[in-house]
Amino acid sequence: MPQATAIFNLFFFNPQGDYRFSWRHPDAPGKEIFTLKFYADLARRAEAVALDNIFIADHVAIWDTVPSGVPHYANPRLEPITLLAALSAVTENIGLMATASTSYTEPYNLARYFASLDHLSGGRASWNVVTSWLPEEAANYGLDTLPEHGRRYERAAEFIAVVRKLWDSWEEEAVLIDKQSGYFADPDRVHPLNHAGEFFKVRGPLNVPRPLQGHPIVVQAGSSESGKALAAAQADIHFVFMSNIEKGLAYREDMNKRLRENGREPEHFKILGGVLPVVVNTPEEKEQRRALIQTLMNDQMALDLLSTYLRMDMGEYDRHAPLPPLPDVQGFDGLRTALQIIKGYDPALTVLELGRLLLQSSDSWLVIGTAQEVADTLSEAFHAGAVDGYNLMFPFLPVDFDNFVDQVAPILKESGVMQQAYRPGTLREKLGLPPVGNQLKRG
């Protein structure tokens, strides 16, 4: 059975919007994207309309090794856990989703970061798991080459398992702070892990008590075979790209099968579709927007992005001809989801045409129309069961976000698709996800 209302997240890919060229919009913010006030204002507005989460994407490098070497979109960004910890002090209910890589940190560090964020926020923390795919990221951590795709996901599976055990290393009743007996904690309720696996050796216990949610919510976004397998085994929420209801239903059917094979109930697993909601109330507004986008895009930027995704220098090919032969998905150590998307496009598209499409958030679902049309489209997919909610990937911030809040959200609230107010409890409780038992608890 679907939940009563859909989940709606304010998603940040870049601070100025989800297009790679969003920073060029005439009304895009400038250097204020590195200030707390910029994010706090957006967070307060998102909470005022009762959006469920702030979801921050992340990379741990600047994309600067593309063939041209020109940083058209160098994607500088604040570290997300630090940022969300600050935003927890200026919000009360909205969930706080931070992206963090399993390839370039350690389970103990990450378990501690998210446990701390969960305590500071009153139980609102969520971890978006990524394995990282950019060569620039590997180079920042002393690696000459990117780790092989399958090994990244094998490491991620053990990583998440260790993090969950660390969150469980303190039982809920462990903290005593008993001044008379001299016991800060009950020694029988604080447990070492003594984990020794293929990738990690961790003694434990964590030096932070068990998070308020038990386990902060785990989100996973990869749609390769390895990504879907990891999501079915470990995630609470799965972020997917879809472009219509039929694709969403087929994806859900596949994930339900995988969940049952892992002994999990599909109703305890939320699928969120990425969507770019754009309000244009007249044909003239739509044409003005199309013309603006064409002026903001840059052909070299398009070729650079396509080159990065394919690990091929597209400058060596005729930009006005179709794509050259592409690598197989299996064995490809880049972003397999992006490669799959590119292979799904019309083969008649030229190199430049495809690159310009990718600049506009790849295969994300563009829902453009009047406020009523946008609301109706989102409602239809939710009621059909294709998704449990959406990552709202606004092309231009704050303009598209403001239009959604002012024009679309009231329609969704009136129809019962968007919540009117927050439910009580932790984020896990607010989103209707079941509690997680302590796997290290004795007796």
Side-chain angles (χ1 to χ4, degrees), residues 180-397:
Q180 296 301 316
S181 70
Y183 279 101
F184 183 88
D186 183 343
D188 292 329
R189 296 181 183 275
V190 181
H191 310 295
L193 275 63
N194 295 318
H195 173 89
E198 181 179 1
F199 296 93
F200 305 107
K201 186 176 182 179
V202 182
R203 176 185 178 270
L206 198 63
N207 63 344
V208 180
R210 195 169 196 249
L212 299 183
Q213 295 184 86
H215 292 186
I217 290 170
V218 173
V219 184
Q220 198 278 335
S223 293
S224 66
E225 283 301 306
S226 297
K228 288 187 284 189
L230 182 65
Q234 295 276 19
D236 301 295
I237 295 175
H238 190 38
F239 171 28
V240 306
F241 291 105
M242 55 175 282
S243 54
N244 56 56
I245 291 174
E246 290 71 25
K247 288 183 179 180
L249 290 172
Y251 197 97
R252 181 182 287 281
E253 183 178 359
D254 177 45
M255 290 306 301
N256 285 351
K257 180 176 180 292
R258 294 171 186 266
L259 290 163
R260 294 189 179 99
E261 289 171 350
N262 279 274
R264 301 184 61 191
E265 297 295 332
E267 57 265 30
H268 296 160
F269 182 84
K270 307 295 185 183
I271 294 178
L272 304 184
V275 63
L276 285 77
V278 175
V279 177
V280 287
N281 288 309
T282 66
E284 291 75 21
E285 285 184 22
K286 189 172 184 178
E287 175 56 29
Q288 289 169 3
R289 185 180 181 95
R290 188 201 65 78
L292 175 63
I293 287 174
Q294 294 303 310
T295 64
L296 298 181
M297 282 196 289
N298 175 290
D299 286 352
Q300 188 59 55
M301 191 188 305
L303 296 176
D304 288 349
L305 181 62
L306 186 57
S307 298
T308 299
Y309 279 158
L310 295 178
R311 302 285 176 83
M312 301 166 62
D313 184 355
M314 303 313 296
E316 297 180 354
Y317 300 93
D318 182 352
R319 64 179 61 187
H320 301 299
L323 284 175
L326 300 180
D328 292 332
V329 173
Q330 294 304 317
F332 184 66
D333 281 339
L335 186 60
R336 291 188 181 181
T337 300
L339 179 58
Q340 289 171 332
I341 288 170
I342 291 168
K343 284 176 172 284
Y345 277 109
D346 183 348
L349 288 173
T350 68
V351 168
L352 184 57
E353 288 170 339
L354 182 54
R356 291 173 74 90
L357 281 175
L358 292 174
L359 280 180
Q360 299 174 65
S361 296
S362 305
D363 202 35
S364 300
W365 191 12
L366 175 63
V367 178
I368 184 168
T370 67
Q372 186 67 56
E373 289 169 340
V374 171
D376 288 346
T377 300
L378 299 183
S379 299
E380 183 183 9
F382 171 67
H383 287 309
V387 292
D388 297 298
Y390 300 96
N391 280 333
L392 302 172
M393 306 165 68
F394 296 106
F396 299 117
L397 286 171

Side-chain angles (χ1 to χ4, degrees), residues 12 15-16 29-44 56 76-79 82-84 86-87 90:
F12 289 97
Q16 299 100 330
K31 292 181 180 179
E32 62 266 34
I33 64 173
F34 303 115
T35 68
L36 177 58
K37 183 180 184 303
F38 172 75
Y39 290 97
D41 288 346
L42 288 170
R44 291 189 184 101
I56 300 183
R77 57 189 68 201
L78 299 177
E79 193 284 313
T82 304
L83 174 57
L84 290 177
L87 293 180
V90 298

Side-chain angles (χ1 to χ4, degrees), residues 397-439:
L397 286 171
V399 58
D400 287 329
F401 173 56
D402 289 340
N403 288 340
F404 183 89
V405 168
D406 293 336
Q407 300 180 52
V408 181
I411 299 172
L412 293 170
K413 287 176 180 290
E414 179 67 25
S415 67
V417 173
M418 180 182 285
Q419 64 183 1
Q420 295 278 355
Y422 290 102
R423 302 172 181 85
T426 65
L427 179 61
R428 183 171 288 277
E429 293 166 329
K430 284 177 166 65
L431 299 184
L433 292 167
V436 180
N438 190 322
Q439 59 188 312

